[in-house]
Amino acid sequence: MTTTLPRQTAPTPPSPATRATNRVLTRLMRLPGTRHGYRVERNLPVTARDGAVLMTDHYAPVTDRPKGTVLVRTPYGRGFPHDLEARVYADRGYHVVLQSCRGTFGSSGDFYPMANEADDAQDAVAWLRTQPWFDGRLATAGSSYVGWTQWALLMDPPAELRTSLIAVAPHDMHDAAHGSGAFRLTDFLSFAEMVVNQERFTGLRSVPRILTLNRRLAPVFGALPLADAADEATGHRAPWFREWLTTPERDDAVWDRLKLGDALERANVPVRLTTCWQDLFLDQTLHQYESLRARGVDVSLTVGPWTHNELGQKGMGQLLRGNLAWLENHLADETPTQPRSAAPVEVYVTGQNAWRHLDQWPPAATETVHFLQPGGQLPADKPGEGTPSTYVYDPANPTPTLGGPLLTLDGGSKDNAKLESRDDVLTFTTDPLTAPLEIMGTPVVDLAHTRSNPHADVFVRLCDVDPKGVSRNFAEGLLRLDPTSPLDQVQTVRVRMDACAHEVKAGHRIRLLIAGGSHPRYARNEGTSATPGTGTELRPCTHTIHHDTSAVSRVVLPTPSE
């Protein structure tokens, strides 16, 4: 098959409309720095080692003293929103190279998510070395998949690389897809459906598809076998999705090119990390921070209150202001317009609605323990005595997903009333707090648990219940249970929840929600031994939560010790 590549264009300045937009965005996002102007060369062909041609745009600042080069590699096209970030950097004196990943938006080759980015990133840097305007100072920047391309380059950091600015990005796709034991269905099927159609529906034509995504995919989420339905939904153009769904084994060859954990041991430049409390890759970003910090790498961490998608909307000003200050310090060798805080960690404390600067994450903490008791009580004194609590999870009517750290637009903190009213959901609630309680770190739930079916999941969620009774989620977790563990004895099931920085105000209550799943965020446990995505049968499971002195169930909350 012959690929027709776009024709290279001569360098051009931004149009009057673009310049006006840039001025408005600068004011709205309160962006610092002197603006220089820029010109853009579009559709530059960059040849990869295997002959694939990667289409590239070059934003050249209009200045005699450029500050270095920022490389952005994306599969989502070189228009909005990536051109917005490119314009911001170029207008402030940086060369920006914006490149389409192979198989997308004019670049030749086949697109298999994440798999080819390490080699292609190195080839992009090799091309940069041949450019007369490249002065040997290189940074990388971008979020989500673009962040993955940065970790791919950090598998073998080039000598020219000065710093990386990575936001809401994974480094291990097996962990992202199957880390809990259950496949993250909503996130990755919506991603698959989007990327196979993104060049057919661009600009305003994409908006209705985004808004109707959940409705269009709902029949797929409920279909058996799931993998076949997903193939139909993606027009059989995303064979990699079936591979991901049906391959839970970490050591399978499917995942060999999709694990970049070695980059955490090889990165040797300052790294700025940004994530969100409601981001699906939060746990990986925190692991990246902890790994780099342990090695003595200069690393900063910003955690905002947003979802994955909201970072590019509500959080864009915060992100770009921090990125510009970081680039001035680590790429341009200048004194930042907004000096960097001495504290390398800044987190947004939800509930308190304020930013907090910390020396490290997580901060030193003690444990506040609440015990599950009969009648849905969650006191902090001691385990109770009484009849265990039970619920039945029926995969034919699975407990639905409501908000949380989703890739789709319906993520985030929600009113949990509809979820808590279901008979397949248990809730345990404290009395109103007499003083504010800060929870900063990773909450853990220990459940004394038995089940009727060896194939089962446990989903837990923490909510903040206000004086009016509105219950809003702030942390959650799911665990697929080991099917070989015995059914005839109580097992202690430990579920690690999402990390959080949240204040429960005086007069509010803490609520623990327990269920057998969260569908379709996680592919439902069908209750059989079938390979994920291939099952055709559904079997329910009765869950029993024990809560007495001989079988203790509890919530462990990290609370700052200072």
Side-chain angles (χ1 to χ4, degrees):
M1 178 179 177
T2 301
T3 301
T4 301
L5 301 177
R7 187 172 64 182
Q8 181 179 342
T9 63
T12 58
S15 67
T18 298
R19 290 197 296 270
T21 301
N22 290 346
R23 289 193 295 270
V24 171
L25 291 174
T26 292
R27 289 195 297 270
L28 288 177
M29 294 189 288
R30 297 181 284 115
L31 299 181
T34 301
R35 296 175 59 205
H36 300 274
Y38 58 90
R39 301 174 73 87
V40 187
E41 295 177 273
R42 300 193 186 278
N43 302 321
L44 300 171
V46 175
T47 304
R49 66 192 66 186
D50 64 350
V53 177
L54 309 177
M55 300 310 296
T56 303
D57 294 344
H58 170 217
Y59 292 68
V62 180
T63 175
D64 294 332
R65 299 181 61 185
K67 300 178 179 180
T69 299
V70 179
L71 174 63
V72 180
R73 303 190 61 255
T74 173
Y76 303 130
R78 285 161 283 141
F80 182 84
H82 298 298
D83 68 325
L84 184 154
E85 192 169 357
R87 299 195 313 257
V88 167
Y89 298 144
D91 214 8
R92 285 154 182 81
Y94 300 94
H95 288 277
V96 181
V97 172
L98 182 56
Q99 184 176 86
S100 288
C101 296
R102 66 169 56 220
T104 69
F105 291 90
S107 292
S108 63
D110 295 325
F111 178 67
Y112 187 111
M114 285 83 178
N116 298 296
E117 305 309 342
D119 287 347
D120 288 352
Q122 293 292 340
D123 294 342
V125 175
W127 174 81
L128 279 173
R129 296 184 182 119
T130 69
Q131 303 306 301
W133 44 263
F134 181 61
D135 66 4
R137 292 179 294 171
L138 176 64
T140 59
S143 60
S144 195
Y145 192 110
V146 185
W148 172 276
T149 69
Q150 297 181 71
W151 287 119
L153 183 62
L154 287 167
M155 290 287 282
D156 185 12
E160 296 86 351
L161 186 64
R162 295 283 192 92
T163 189
S164 297
L165 302 101
I166 303 174
V168 291
H171 61 272
D172 186 324
M173 284 306 298
H174 176 271
D175 182 71
H178 288 280
S180 68
F183 183 75
R184 281 178 168 161
L185 178 58
T186 294
D187 296 327
F188 294 115
L189 183 55
S190 63
F191 167 73
E193 200 272 350
M194 183 272 293
V195 296
V196 300
N197 290 298
Q198 62 177 343
E199 295 187 50
R200 297 173 57 210
F201 301 94
T202 58
L204 293 177
R205 294 181 65 206
S206 67
V207 174
R209 294 186 62 81
I210 293 171
L211 297 177
T212 61
L213 180 64
N214 287 342
R215 177 171 58 80
R216 288 186 292 107
L217 291 182
V220 183
F221 295 146
L224 295 174
L226 175 59
D228 291 349
D231 283 345
E232 292 289 337
T234 57
H236 300 275
R237 289 179 291 150
W240 44 269
F241 178 81
R242 175 183 279 269
E243 293 178 353
W244 293 6
L245 170 63
T246 60
T247 312
E249 301 83 8
R250 181 174 179 80
D251 58 356
D252 192 281
V254 165
W255 304 106
D256 285 351
R257 293 185 295 170
L258 305 183
K259 293 182 290 188
L260 303 179
D262 287 347
L264 305 185
E265 302 302 320
R266 299 172 184 172
N268 55 7
V269 297
V271 177
R272 169 170 154 79
L273 296 171
T274 304
T275 188
C276 319
W277 293 128
Q278 295 290 333
D279 180 46
L280 69 157
F281 302 127
L282 169 65
D283 57 340
Q284 292 207 37
T285 301
L286 296 180
H287 177 66
Q288 294 157 12
Y289 163 78
E290 291 167 1
S291 296
L292 295 177
R293 182 176 181 273
R295 292 180 47 235
V297 175
D298 182 2
V299 57
S300 76
L301 174 67
T302 298
V303 190
W306 316 289
T307 66
H308 189 88
N309 283 312
E310 286 175 341
L311 177 64
Q313 303 160 18
K314 300 176 182 178
M316 182 58 78
Q318 178 90 11
L319 175 69
L320 289 178
R321 289 193 299 274
N323 283 359
L324 287 169
W326 188 268
L327 287 172
E328 287 181 342
N329 190 35
H330 294 289
L331 184 64
D333 301 320
E334 296 182 356
T335 301
T337 306
Q338 292 186 339
R340 177 181 171 185
S341 168
V345 176
E346 57 176 354
V347 301
Y348 190 90
V349 182
T350 55
Q352 189 181 91
N353 300 328
W355 287 95
R356 182 82 54 84
H357 290 86
L358 304 170
D359 292 331
Q360 65 180 28
W361 181 269
T366 57
E367 292 183 349
T368 297
V369 179
H370 287 264
F371 297 93
L372 281 66
Q373 289 192 0
Q377 300 300 305
L378 193 64
D381 49 4
K382 62 181 180 179
E385 294 286 352
T387 304
S389 303
T390 64
Y391 64 94
V392 177
Y393 178 78
D394 183 359
N397 180 27
T399 316
T401 296
L402 177 65
L406 298 174
L407 188 60
T408 49
L409 296 178
D410 53 342
S413 182
K414 304 293 182 183
D415 181 346
N416 279 250
K418 290 184 179 180
L419 198 58
E420 294 168 355
S421 66
R422 290 177 60 99
D423 59 11
D424 58 356
V425 172
L426 298 180
T427 60
F428 296 85
T429 310
T430 68
D431 291 334
L433 302 188
T434 57
L437 178 69
E438 283 191 353
I439 304 169
M440 301 189 72
T442 302
V444 174
V445 176
D446 292 324
L447 299 178
H449 180 268
T450 55
R451 63 193 190 277
S452 64
N453 186 331
H455 303 283
D457 298 344
V458 172
F459 174 77
V460 294
R461 167 175 277 186
L462 283 174
C463 296
D464 182 330
V465 185
D466 70 19
K468 295 181 179 179
V470 178
S471 174
R472 302 186 70 89
N473 50 292
F474 63 88
E476 64 188 57
L478 180 137
L479 179 66
R480 178 148 292 184
L481 304 181
D482 180 359
T484 66
S485 61
L487 298 181
D488 57 355
Q489 58 185 267
V490 177
Q491 302 287 318
T492 298
V493 173
R494 167 160 282 203
V495 185
R496 287 173 54 86
M497 308 180 84
D498 304 320
C500 63
H502 182 78
E503 181 185 79
V504 184
K505 296 182 179 298
H508 288 222
R509 294 173 290 159
I510 300 170
R511 178 168 292 160
L512 173 68
L513 180 155
I514 305 173
S518 177
H519 182 265
R521 181 190 176 194
Y522 297 98
R524 57 186 168 176
N525 196 316
E526 296 167 358
T528 74
S529 60
T531 299
T534 68
T536 58
E537 183 182 359
L538 300 173
R539 297 178 184 172
C541 178
T542 299
H543 295 254
T544 302
I545 307 299
H546 303 264
H547 31 59
D548 55 48
T549 54
S550 62
V552 176
S553 295
R554 62 179 192 161
V555 182
V556 182
L557 304 175
T559 53
S561 55
E562 297 181 1

